[in-house]
Amino acid sequence: MSEHDSTDRTITSLPLSSEREVEWTHVLVVVEGASAGERFVLGRELSIGRDPTCDVRLVDRSVSRLHCRVSLAEQRALVTDNGSTNGTFVDGVRVQDSTVLKPGALLQIGDHLLRHDVCTTAEAAREVELAQDLRKAREYVAALIPAPLARADVRIEWAFQPCAALGGDLLGYHWIDDARLALYVLDVCGHGAGPAMHSASVFNALRGQTLPHTDFAAPAQVLSALNQHFAMERHGGMYLTMWYGVLEPRTRRLSFASAGHPPALLLEGARSTRLATKSPPIGVSEGRRFTQAQAEIRAGARLWVLSDGVFEFTSSDESVFSLDEFERGLLETPRSSPSDVQRALQGRAKRGVFEDDFSMLTVSMGP
Amino acid sequence: MNLRVLEAPPTQVHVALDGRLDTAGVDAIEVKFNAAVVARRKDAVVDLSALEFLSSMGVRMLLLAAKALERTGQRMVLVARGPVISTALQHSAIDELIPVAQDLDQARAILAGGRP
């Protein structure tokens, strides 16, 4: 046999994948509930409950402090209820004492639903890493939002909650000069890291006022410039909706423009006025010209700028909440803060979960 | 969420959607929708009359399909009746990009009117 033959020989001694020793890992994945998307590797035992000391802490009023525990012995997972008030359920059946949790089984604890997954240790590590990356991205996005503003002449508050899959919402405000404030809520369509990164790019262009030849005090110009710079063909097919306003606190005058975005609501006494200019989303229609409109925010009035995640969610009774209902609710409780409204709506949402990012910014004027 | 492919002239595709076109609805039918509407490279009538709800993710699915058809020289016309879907289309201003008809006859008339 020649030297060439010996090196070119087909190797047949590699172990087949089924013969390799595979290490399995058991994971609890939160598939529904306020902590949806989180993953917990099951070592020997995981304690689950509302208490901060629990390995799996579920912020959910229907969950007991030390609700239940899941233990693993010889590749078999066992759920034990700790005498919880509302019970622990496996595939819909209440756990009396302890029950085996088979791979793929669903564990219901309060408004949370967790799935028992078994995967290779390498897969589990990758999934945990991905979940951590998503959490970091969520934290980065939230950190971009400026602190609330509390001045005698103008007050800005907000509520922001990214959904489990991380959407493309962002909200903010900045001073254009000493006299004028820019206010904005934007929503890149889609979920995941891509839309979140796109949203951060647009946000930074606004906050840094880096769009060339653009007067940031002219809302229609800002939307036109964004439309030119963020065309979906050049940005992975992503587009965004947006509401952008410029407020001069001294005169209380507001100029605004919107693109494919829900109207802002200007609440004054028992009346709500919807503020929007009808234009398609940013990035979908090259060369599009945008228009703007004016309003006045009088003393005692309050402007609510929001994303569609605030009212597009499924209620506990399976009906879909709507902008009309949201508007009615605001008129009934005009003094509520954005955080109050967020809590109230979360209480109405099915399993306490918003299906999309929740973004809401309010502006009220001093006397 | 359901998608039905209905009878149409040889140069057109006609599909009807019913249910909730939200994130879960889009996940359930997007591949089927693109196969039925975009891949056929024909003018398309998409009937939304039986939709109960149209979210921004649903709007996105329609918009991306309309843009894909546009790139190959075809058009999409939506059929929408009722306040819920019409309001969603108006809020997103998608009706400025995709023609919206009141019924099938009007949709076919829009398509017969040629390309703008």
Side-chain angles (χ1 to χ4, degrees), chain A residues 289-364:
Chain A
R289 294 186 73 83
F290 291 81
T291 55
Q292 63 186 53
Q294 314 284 328
E296 185 180 345
I297 308 180
R298 298 190 185 89
R302 196 174 198 188
L303 178 71
W304 295 74
V305 191
L306 30 121
S307 67
D308 54 12
V310 166
F311 56 88
E312 276 186 2
F313 62 82
T314 308
S315 303
S316 307
D317 63 1
E318 294 290 335
S319 65
V320 179
F321 199 62
S322 68
L323 180 62
D324 291 343
E325 282 179 89
F326 174 76
E327 192 173 34
R328 275 196 297 275
L330 282 187
L331 287 168
E332 284 164 13
T333 55
R335 291 183 185 281
S336 302
S337 70
S339 303
D340 293 337
V341 173
Q342 181 189 1
R343 272 193 296 276
L345 292 179
Q346 199 152 10
R348 289 190 63 157
K350 186 181 172 187
R351 297 187 191 281
V353 176
F354 294 124
E355 290 152 36
D356 199 354
D357 288 355
F358 181 103
S359 306
M360 179 189 279
L361 177 143
T362 67
V363 182
S364 40

Side-chain angles (χ1 to χ4, degrees), chain B residues 35-112:
Chain B
V37 174
V38 181
R40 307 278 279 278
R41 295 198 169 190
K42 293 179 179 180
D43 287 340
V45 176
V46 179
D47 193 338
L48 310 178
S49 304
L51 272 190
E52 296 161 26
F53 176 61
L54 175 62
S55 77
S56 56
M57 291 301 282
V59 168
R60 177 175 180 267
M61 184 188 85
L62 297 171
L63 180 61
L64 293 181
K67 295 285 279 186
L69 284 176
E70 190 183 284
R71 279 196 291 276
T72 52
Q74 281 82 39
R75 297 178 75 198
M76 178 193 283
V77 178
L78 304 175
V79 177
R81 285 187 294 263
V84 174
I85 304 307
S86 299
T87 304
L89 294 173
Q90 281 168 20
H91 277 174
S92 60
I94 228 65
D95 54 350
E96 294 198 1
L97 300 169
I98 311 173
V100 180
Q102 290 294 307
D103 54 36
L104 182 60
D105 288 343
Q106 196 184 6
R108 290 197 169 143
I110 291 171
L111 289 175

